[in-house]
Amino acid sequence: MTVLRPVVYDAGMLIAAERSQTKVWRAHRAYLTAGGVPLVPAAVVAQVWRDGARQARLAQLLKGCDVAGMDETAAREIGELLARAGTSDPVDGAVAVLAVRQRATIATSDPDDIRHLLDRLGALGKLVAVQQV
């Protein structure tokens, strides 16, 4: 039996889904069909959610996902990561930290920024795969 690797979606993945990009929807449906449940940091949802009445596609995507909250421990870990990386985007930091905790693949539209953060996480960051959407 093959174990399905967890997947973490960043804001770019959600925006692409909202824009009805076929490639993104195919990948999402394939992952769900294989038995996976994508993870989305709550900070990512906050970054892209604007008007539920106008974001039906995004709402549809999120129904198939687990939205992961952020506790104080994660918030501090993200802040420390941003300091080490010399960056200031807590949303990208939340994606990187969640992915490392889950040893997940990250579906992102900005692999360079994500890899930069993963590099600062050292050996743990090496366990995370990055897939561009």
Side-chain angles (χ1 to χ4, degrees):
M1 177 180 219
T2 303
V3 176
L4 195 59
R5 185 174 188 158
V7 173
V8 174
Y9 290 170
D10 83 343
M13 180 69 172
L14 272 59
I15 291 166
E18 185 177 11
R19 293 179 179 164
S20 298
Q21 290 185 5
T22 304
K23 174 184 166 186
V24 166
W25 278 100
R26 280 189 188 136
H28 178 67
R29 286 187 188 115
Y31 190 70
L32 293 175
T33 300
V37 178
L39 302 167
V40 182
V44 169
V45 176
Q47 188 175 43
V48 300
W49 193 265
R50 295 294 176 266
D51 180 359
R54 296 178 187 214
Q55 292 181 298
R57 297 293 286 168
L58 178 56
Q60 180 183 1
L61 180 96
L62 289 171
K63 282 182 185 178
C65 299
D66 277 344
V67 177
M70 181 189 314
D71 61 12
E72 182 179 353
T73 300
R76 289 177 185 226
E77 188 177 350
I78 292 163
E80 291 169 4
L81 170 60
L82 297 177
R84 283 194 308 272
T87 63
S88 61
D89 186 344
V91 177
D92 282 351
V95 168
V97 166
L98 179 60
V100 164
R101 286 181 172 185
Q102 299 295 319
R103 294 186 178 177
T105 296
I106 299 173
T108 179
S109 61
D110 197 356
D112 293 336
D113 283 353
I114 293 295
R115 282 192 184 103
H116 176 71
L117 291 170
L118 293 172
D119 287 347
R120 296 315 172 272
L121 288 167
L124 292 175
K126 303 296 183 207
L127 300 173
V128 175
V130 179
Q131 179 182 5
Q132 186 165 359
V133 293

